[in-house]
Amino acid sequence: MKSMLRSLFDTIEVLLRFLYYSLEELILKFSCYKKNVAGKIVLITGSANGIGRELAIQFARLGSILVLWDIDEEGNNETGELAKANGALAVCAYRCDVGKREEIYAVAEQVRREVGDVDILINNAGILKGKTFLDLSDSDLEETLDVNTASHFWTCKAFLPAMVARNEGHLVTTASVSSLVGSNKLTATTASKYATFGFMEALAFELQDAGKKGIQTTIVCPYLVDTELITGAQTLREFFFPILDAGYVAKEMVDAILKEKLYLVLPSYARLLVLKIFFPKKIVYLLAEYLGLFRLFDHFRGEPKRGQKTKEN
C-alpha cells in the first residue's frame, strides 16, 4: 500500500513539474536570454569548410576564442583568417585527423597546453560514402565509424574531465536527420549517426544524474546540407525537405547552443519521422519512397579522398 501511494505521489509530482517546465520553456522561448560566449574557448572539428566554417564565423562575431581542427590545413587556415576578420578574440588552427584516436589525444593535449581548457566542444566533422551496404568496403565502414562516431568518444574523453571538475561546459554534436530515419545508400552514415545521437543523449543523462547540471549538451539533426559532401544528392519532395544552407544551419546551431537546447532538428517538423515506429511495415516503406529516401543518392558522384576540402562537414 505504501509503495502504491509513493508511486501515486511521484506521478503527481512529475506531472506538476512537467507542466512547470513546459511553461518555463515557453517563457524562455520568447525571452531574450542567451548565454554569453565572449572569451570562451570553442573547439570546432571539421572547420575547414561547410557548417564548420560557418560556425567559426558565427562564434567569431560573438567574441569567442576559436580552436579549429581539420585534416585540410589550407582550408582550415582560410577559416581562421575569416574568423579573425569577423572579430574572434583569438584563433588557433590545428591539423587533426579525427579518425585517429591517438592523434586526437595528442592534439587535445597541445590545445590544453597552448590555449587552455575547452568551454564548448563542437563535434562537427563527418564523412559520407553514399554506397549500398554491399558496395561498401571494410575500410569504408571502419572510416565512417571512426570519423562520425568514435571521434566523439575520444574528444569527450579528452575535454570532458576538465568540464566535470568545474561543472561547466557544453558538448555539441552535428548528428543528422539520418539519426531518426534510415535511407538508401546511407547504411554506414545512418549507423554512425544513430550511434552518435545515442551516445550524446546517454552522456547528457549521465551528467545530469551525476549532478553536473552546469554541463550542457546539444544534439543537432539537420537534413541534407548544401556542402560538397553531398554533391549529386537530390531531394524528391523539396517542399517537405529542402536541402539546407550551411550558413542557416550554423546560425540555428549557435542559437540552440546559446539557449542551451538539448535537441535541434532542422527542419523542426522532421522530428515527426520518429512516429514511423507506430506504422505498419508497408506504410513505412510507402512514406519512405514518397519522401525520396530510396533515391537521395542515385546521382551521388562519390566522396573525395581523405584530406581534400570536401572531407569534413
Side-chain angles (χ1 to χ4, degrees):
M1 185 64 179
K2 286 184 178 180
S3 62
M4 289 182 62
L5 285 173
R6 181 70 265 171
S7 181
L8 176 62
F9 290 146
D10 286 347
T11 303
I12 293 172
E13 180 187 359
V14 166
L15 289 172
L16 289 173
R17 292 175 68 183
F18 179 89
L19 292 171
Y20 174 79
Y21 293 149
S22 298
L23 179 61
E24 180 184 60
E25 182 63 25
L26 184 63
I27 293 171
L28 287 173
K29 185 175 182 179
F30 295 101
S31 74
C32 297
Y33 168 75
K34 291 183 180 181
K35 71 178 178 182
N36 183 11
V37 294
K40 298 294 185 181
I41 299 173
V42 181
L43 190 154
I44 304 168
T45 69
S47 50
N49 52 78
I51 298 172
R53 173 171 288 184
E54 296 294 336
L55 284 169
I57 292 171
Q58 293 281 339
F59 276 105
R61 291 170 179 165
L62 296 171
S64 299
I65 297 169
L66 291 170
V67 177
L68 307 176
W69 281 15
D70 204 291
I71 198 172
D72 172 16
E73 292 182 86
E74 181 183 352
N76 208 28
N77 288 330
E78 289 174 3
T79 298
E81 292 303 314
L82 287 169
K84 290 175 185 176
N86 278 274
L89 194 60
V91 179
C92 298
Y94 296 85
R95 186 194 185 281
C96 184
D97 183 350
V98 297
K100 298 177 180 178
R101 180 184 59 186
E102 294 308 318
E103 190 164 328
I104 287 174
Y105 285 166
V107 181
E109 178 56 35
Q110 190 178 354
V111 168
R112 284 193 294 269
R113 187 172 62 249
E114 296 176 355
V115 187
D117 290 326
V118 169
D119 297 295
I120 301 175
L121 169 64
I122 304 178
N123 279 305
N124 168 72
I127 56 174
L128 183 151
K129 296 296 180 179
K131 303 175 185 177
T132 62
F133 177 69
L134 293 180
D135 286 334
L136 288 165
S137 66
D138 290 355
S139 61
D140 284 336
L141 288 164
E142 290 170 349
E143 184 183 20
T144 300
L145 292 172
D146 283 343
V147 173
N148 291 3
T149 307
S151 65
H152 295 225
F153 302 158
W154 317 137
T155 56
C156 287
K157 281 276 190 180
F159 297 111
L160 183 56
M163 295 183 185
V164 169
R166 63 182 189 270
N167 192 22
E168 183 181 356
H170 203 135
L171 305 173
V172 184
T173 181
T174 305
S176 170
V177 162
S178 64
S179 304
L180 311 176
V181 64
S183 180
N184 185 33
K185 295 185 179 179
L186 278 187
T187 48
T189 299
T190 298
S192 67
K193 295 297 187 177
Y194 262 86
T196 296
F197 186 105
F199 165 64
M200 293 302 292
E201 187 176 62
L203 183 57
F205 295 167
E206 192 173 289
L207 291 167
Q208 284 289 303
D209 184 60
K212 300 300 178 180
K213 301 183 186 299
I215 303 174
Q216 307 300 322
T217 304
T218 299
I219 305 168
V220 184
C221 298
Y223 185 61
L224 296 179
V225 182
D226 188 16
T227 66
E228 293 177 347
L229 195 65
I230 63 157
T231 299
Q234 296 179 329
T235 181
L236 181 61
R237 308 296 175 192
E238 192 168 353
F239 53 92
F240 280 143
F241 293 107
I243 292 179
L244 303 173
D245 176 71
Y248 164 74
V249 173
K251 183 176 181 296
E252 292 296 308
M253 284 180 67
V254 172
D255 186 67
I257 293 166
L258 298 182
K259 293 181 177 178
E260 299 180 341
K261 293 182 179 180
L262 178 57
Y263 306 108
L264 173 66
V265 181
L266 298 171
S268 60
Y269 50 79
R271 66 189 67 199
L272 294 174
L273 290 169
V274 300
L275 295 176
K276 66 184 183 292
I277 62 174
F278 297 103
F279 298 150
K281 174 179 65 177
K282 289 184 178 180
I283 292 179
V284 172
Y285 292 157
L286 174 68
L287 293 175
E289 185 172 10
Y290 171 74
L291 293 173
L293 299 181
F294 293 169
R295 297 289 175 260
L296 281 176
F297 290 91
D298 278 1
H299 304 288
F300 185 66
R301 291 195 284 275
E303 76 286 348
K305 294 180 181 179
R306 300 267 294 170
Q308 288 183 285
K309 288 186 180 182
T310 50
K311 184 240 175 215
E312 310 278 0
N313 276 343

Coordinates of all heavy atoms in Angstrom, one line a residue, residues 61-110:
R61 N 32.1 36.3 -34.3 CA 31.3 37.6 -34.2 C 30.8 37.8 -32.7 O 30.5 38.9 -32.3 CB 30.1 37.5 -35.1 CG 30.5 37.7 -36.6 CD 29.3 37.4 -37.5 NE 29.8 37.6 -38.9 CZ 29.1 37.1 -40.0 NH1 27.9 36.5 -39.8 NH2 29.6 37.3 -41.2
L62 N 30.8 36.7 -32.0 CA 30.4 36.7 -30.6 C 31.6 36.9 -29.6 O 31.5 36.9 -28.4 CB 29.6 35.5 -30.2 CG 28.3 35.3 -30.9 CD1 27.7 33.9 -30.6 CD2 27.3 36.3 -30.5
G63 N 32.8 37.1 -30.2 CA 34.0 37.3 -29.4 C 34.6 36.1 -28.7 O 35.3 36.3 -27.7
S64 N 34.4 34.9 -29.3 CA 34.9 33.7 -28.7 C 36.4 33.5 -29.1 O 36.9 34.1 -30.1 CB 34.1 32.5 -29.1 OG 32.8 32.6 -28.7
I65 N 37.1 32.6 -28.4 CA 38.4 32.1 -28.7 C 38.2 30.8 -29.5 O 37.6 29.9 -29.0 CB 39.3 31.9 -27.5 CG1 39.5 33.2 -26.7 CG2 40.6 31.3 -27.9 CD1 40.1 33.0 -25.4
L66 N 38.7 30.8 -30.7 CA 38.4 29.6 -31.6 C 39.6 28.7 -31.7 O 40.7 29.1 -32.0 CB 37.9 30.1 -33.0 CG 36.6 30.8 -33.0 CD1 36.4 31.4 -34.4 CD2 35.5 29.8 -32.7
V67 N 39.3 27.4 -31.5 CA 40.2 26.3 -31.8 C 39.6 25.5 -33.0 O 38.6 24.9 -32.8 CB 40.4 25.4 -30.6 CG1 41.4 24.3 -30.9 CG2 41.0 26.3 -29.4
L68 N 40.4 25.5 -34.1 CA 39.9 24.9 -35.3 C 40.6 23.6 -35.6 O 41.9 23.6 -35.7 CB 40.0 25.9 -36.4 CG 39.3 27.2 -36.2 CD1 39.6 28.1 -37.4 CD2 37.9 27.1 -35.9
W69 N 39.9 22.5 -35.8 CA 40.5 21.2 -36.1 C 40.0 20.7 -37.5 O 38.8 20.7 -37.7 CB 40.1 20.1 -35.1 CG 40.9 20.2 -33.8 CD1 41.6 21.2 -33.3 CD2 40.9 19.1 -32.8 NE1 42.1 20.9 -32.1 CE2 41.7 19.6 -31.8 CE3 40.3 17.9 -32.7 CZ2 41.9 18.8 -30.6 CZ3 40.6 17.1 -31.6 CH2 41.4 17.6 -30.6
D70 N 41.0 20.3 -38.3 CA 40.6 19.7 -39.6 C 41.8 19.1 -40.2 O 43.0 19.4 -39.9 CB 40.1 20.8 -40.6 CG 39.1 20.2 -41.6 OD1 39.7 19.5 -42.5 OD2 37.9 20.4 -41.6
I71 N 41.6 18.1 -41.0 CA 42.6 17.4 -41.8 C 43.1 18.3 -42.9 O 44.3 18.1 -43.4 CB 42.2 16.0 -42.2 CG1 43.4 15.1 -42.6 CG2 41.2 16.1 -43.4 CD1 43.0 13.7 -42.9
D72 N 42.3 19.2 -43.4 CA 42.6 20.0 -44.5 C 43.2 21.3 -44.0 O 42.5 22.3 -43.6 CB 41.4 20.3 -45.3 CG 41.5 21.4 -46.4 OD1 42.7 21.7 -46.7 OD2 40.5 21.9 -46.9
E73 N 44.6 21.4 -44.0 CA 45.3 22.5 -43.4 C 45.0 23.8 -44.1 O 44.8 24.9 -43.5 CB 46.8 22.3 -43.3 CG 47.1 21.1 -42.3 CD 48.6 20.9 -42.3 OE1 49.3 21.6 -41.5 OE2 49.1 20.1 -43.0
E74 N 45.0 23.8 -45.4 CA 44.8 25.0 -46.2 C 43.4 25.6 -45.9 O 43.3 26.8 -45.6 CB 45.0 24.7 -47.7 CG 44.8 26.0 -48.6 CD 44.9 25.6 -50.1 OE1 45.2 24.5 -50.4 OE2 44.6 26.5 -50.9
G75 N 42.4 24.8 -46.0 CA 41.0 25.2 -45.8 C 40.8 25.7 -44.4 O 40.1 26.7 -44.1
N76 N 41.5 25.0 -43.4 CA 41.4 25.4 -42.0 C 42.0 26.8 -41.7 O 41.5 27.6 -41.0 CB 42.0 24.3 -41.1 CG 41.4 24.2 -39.8 OD1 40.2 24.5 -39.6 ND2 42.2 23.8 -38.8
N77 N 43.1 27.0 -42.4 CA 43.8 28.3 -42.2 C 42.9 29.4 -42.8 O 42.9 30.5 -42.3 CB 45.2 28.3 -42.8 CG 46.2 27.5 -42.0 OD1 46.0 27.4 -40.8 ND2 47.1 26.9 -42.7
E78 N 42.3 29.1 -43.9 CA 41.4 30.1 -44.5 C 40.2 30.4 -43.6 O 39.8 31.6 -43.4 CB 40.8 29.5 -45.9 CG 41.8 29.5 -47.0 CD 41.3 28.8 -48.2 OE1 40.1 28.4 -48.2 OE2 42.0 28.6 -49.2
T79 N 39.7 29.4 -42.9 CA 38.6 29.6 -41.9 C 39.2 30.5 -40.8 O 38.5 31.4 -40.3 CB 38.1 28.3 -41.4 OG1 37.6 27.5 -42.4 CG2 37.0 28.5 -40.3
G80 N 40.4 30.2 -40.4 CA 41.0 31.0 -39.3 C 41.1 32.5 -39.7 O 40.8 33.4 -38.8
E81 N 41.5 32.8 -40.9 CA 41.6 34.2 -41.4 C 40.2 34.8 -41.4 O 40.0 36.0 -41.0 CB 42.2 34.2 -42.7 CG 43.7 33.8 -42.8 CD 44.5 34.7 -41.8 OE1 44.4 35.9 -41.8 OE2 45.3 34.1 -41.1
L82 N 39.2 34.1 -41.8 CA 37.8 34.6 -41.8 C 37.3 34.9 -40.4 O 36.7 35.9 -40.2 CB 36.9 33.6 -42.5 CG 37.0 33.5 -44.1 CD1 36.2 32.3 -44.6 CD2 36.5 34.8 -44.7
A83 N 37.7 34.0 -39.5 CA 37.3 34.2 -38.1 C 37.9 35.4 -37.5 O 37.3 36.2 -36.8 CB 37.6 32.9 -37.3
K84 N 39.2 35.6 -37.8 CA 39.9 36.8 -37.3 C 39.2 38.1 -37.8 O 39.0 39.1 -37.1 CB 41.4 36.8 -37.7 CG 42.2 35.7 -37.0 CD 43.6 35.6 -37.5 CE 44.4 34.5 -36.9 NZ 45.7 34.3 -37.5
A85 N 38.9 38.0 -39.1 CA 38.3 39.2 -39.8 C 36.9 39.5 -39.2 O 36.4 40.6 -39.3 CB 38.2 39.0 -41.3
N86 N 36.3 38.5 -38.6 CA 34.9 38.7 -38.1 C 34.9 38.9 -36.5 O 33.9 38.8 -35.9 CB 34.1 37.5 -38.4 CG 33.5 37.6 -39.8 OD1 32.4 38.2 -40.0 ND2 34.2 37.0 -40.8
G87 N 36.1 39.1 -36.0 CA 36.1 39.6 -34.6 C 36.5 38.5 -33.5 O 36.3 38.8 -32.3
A88 N 37.0 37.4 -33.9 CA 37.4 36.4 -32.9 C 38.4 36.9 -32.0 O 39.3 37.7 -32.4 CB 37.9 35.1 -33.6
L89 N 38.3 36.6 -30.7 CA 39.3 37.1 -29.7 C 40.7 36.5 -30.0 O 41.7 37.2 -29.9 CB 38.8 36.7 -28.3 CG 39.5 37.4 -27.2 CD1 39.3 38.9 -27.3 CD2 38.9 36.9 -25.8
A90 N 40.7 35.3 -30.5 CA 41.9 34.6 -30.9 C 41.5 33.4 -31.7 O 40.4 32.8 -31.5 CB 42.7 34.2 -29.6
V91 N 42.4 32.9 -32.6 CA 42.2 31.8 -33.4 C 43.4 30.9 -33.4 O 44.5 31.4 -33.6 CB 41.8 32.2 -34.8 CG1 41.6 30.9 -35.7 CG2 40.6 33.1 -34.9
C92 N 43.2 29.6 -33.1 CA 44.3 28.6 -33.2 C 43.8 27.5 -34.1 O 42.9 26.8 -33.7 CB 44.6 28.1 -31.8 SG 45.2 29.4 -30.7
A93 N 44.5 27.3 -35.2 CA 44.1 26.2 -36.1 C 45.1 25.1 -36.0 O 46.3 25.3 -36.0 CB 44.1 26.8 -37.6
Y94 N 44.6 23.9 -36.0 CA 45.4 22.7 -35.8 C 45.0 21.6 -36.9 O 43.8 21.5 -37.2 CB 45.2 22.0 -34.5 CG 45.6 22.8 -33.3 CD1 44.8 23.8 -32.7 CD2 46.9 22.7 -32.7 CE1 45.2 24.5 -31.6 CE2 47.3 23.5 -31.6 CZ 46.4 24.4 -31.1 OH 46.8 25.1 -30.0
R95 N 46.0 20.9 -37.4 CA 45.7 19.8 -38.3 C 45.4 18.6 -37.3 O 46.2 18.2 -36.5 CB 46.9 19.4 -39.2 CG 46.5 18.3 -40.2 CD 47.7 17.7 -40.8 NE 47.3 16.8 -41.9 CZ 46.9 15.5 -41.6 NH1 46.9 15.1 -40.3 NH2 46.5 14.7 -42.6
C96 N 44.3 18.0 -37.5 CA 43.9 16.8 -36.7 C 43.0 15.9 -37.5 O 41.9 16.4 -38.0 CB 43.2 17.3 -35.4 SG 42.9 15.9 -34.3
D97 N 43.4 14.7 -37.7 CA 42.6 13.7 -38.3 C 41.8 13.0 -37.2 O 42.3 12.2 -36.4 CB 43.5 12.7 -39.0 CG 42.7 11.6 -39.7 OD1 41.4 11.6 -39.5 OD2 43.2 10.8 -40.5
V98 N 40.5 13.4 -37.1 CA 39.7 12.9 -36.0 C 39.3 11.4 -36.2 O 38.7 10.8 -35.3 CB 38.4 13.7 -35.8 CG1 38.7 15.1 -35.5 CG2 37.5 13.7 -37.1
G99 N 39.7 10.8 -37.3 CA 39.6 9.4 -37.5 C 40.6 8.6 -36.7 O 40.6 7.3 -36.8
K100 N 41.6 9.3 -36.1 CA 42.7 8.6 -35.4 C 42.7 9.0 -33.9 O 42.9 10.1 -33.6 CB 44.0 8.9 -36.1 CG 44.1 8.4 -37.5 CD 45.4 8.8 -38.2 CE 45.4 8.4 -39.6 NZ 46.7 8.8 -40.3
R101 N 42.4 8.0 -33.0 CA 42.3 8.3 -31.6 C 43.6 8.9 -31.0 O 43.5 9.9 -30.3 CB 42.0 7.0 -30.9 CG 41.9 7.2 -29.3 CD 41.7 5.8 -28.7 NE 42.8 4.9 -28.9 CZ 42.8 3.6 -28.6 NH1 41.8 3.1 -27.9 NH2 43.8 2.9 -28.8
E102 N 44.7 8.4 -31.3 CA 45.9 8.9 -30.7 C 46.2 10.3 -31.2 O 46.8 11.1 -30.4 CB 47.1 7.9 -31.0 CG 47.0 6.6 -30.4 CD 46.7 6.7 -28.9 OE1 47.3 7.5 -28.2 OE2 45.8 5.9 -28.4
E103 N 45.9 10.6 -32.4 CA 46.1 12.0 -32.9 C 45.2 12.9 -32.2 O 45.6 14.1 -31.8 CB 45.8 12.0 -34.4 CG 46.3 13.3 -35.1 CD 46.4 13.3 -36.6 OE1 46.7 12.2 -37.1 OE2 46.1 14.3 -37.2
I104 N 43.9 12.5 -31.9 CA 43.0 13.4 -31.2 C 43.6 13.7 -29.8 O 43.6 14.8 -29.3 CB 41.6 12.7 -31.0 CG1 40.9 12.7 -32.3 CG2 40.8 13.4 -29.9 CD1 39.6 11.9 -32.3
Y105 N 44.1 12.6 -29.1 CA 44.6 12.8 -27.8 C 45.8 13.7 -27.8 O 46.0 14.6 -26.9 CB 45.0 11.5 -27.2 CG 43.8 10.6 -26.7 CD1 44.0 9.3 -26.4 CD2 42.5 11.2 -26.5 CE1 42.9 8.5 -25.9 CE2 41.5 10.4 -26.1 CZ 41.6 9.1 -25.8 OH 40.6 8.4 -25.4
A106 N 46.7 13.5 -28.8 CA 47.9 14.3 -28.9 C 47.6 15.8 -29.1 O 48.2 16.7 -28.5 CB 48.8 13.8 -30.0
V107 N 46.7 16.1 -30.1 CA 46.4 17.5 -30.4 C 45.6 18.1 -29.3 O 45.7 19.3 -29.0 CB 45.6 17.6 -31.7 CG1 45.3 19.0 -32.1 CG2 46.4 16.9 -32.9
A108 N 44.7 17.3 -28.6 CA 44.0 17.8 -27.4 C 44.9 18.3 -26.3 O 44.7 19.3 -25.7 CB 43.1 16.7 -26.9
E109 N 46.0 17.5 -26.1 CA 47.0 17.9 -25.1 C 47.7 19.2 -25.5 O 47.9 20.1 -24.7 CB 48.0 16.8 -24.9 CG 49.1 17.1 -23.9 CD 48.6 17.5 -22.5 OE1 47.5 16.9 -22.1 OE2 49.2 18.3 -21.9
Q110 N 47.9 19.3 -26.8 CA 48.6 20.5 -27.3 C 47.6 21.7 -27.1 O 48.1 22.8 -26.7 CB 48.9 20.4 -28.8 CG 49.7 21.5 -29.4 CD 50.0 21.2 -30.9 OE1 49.7 20.2 -31.4 NE2 50.7 22.2 -31.5

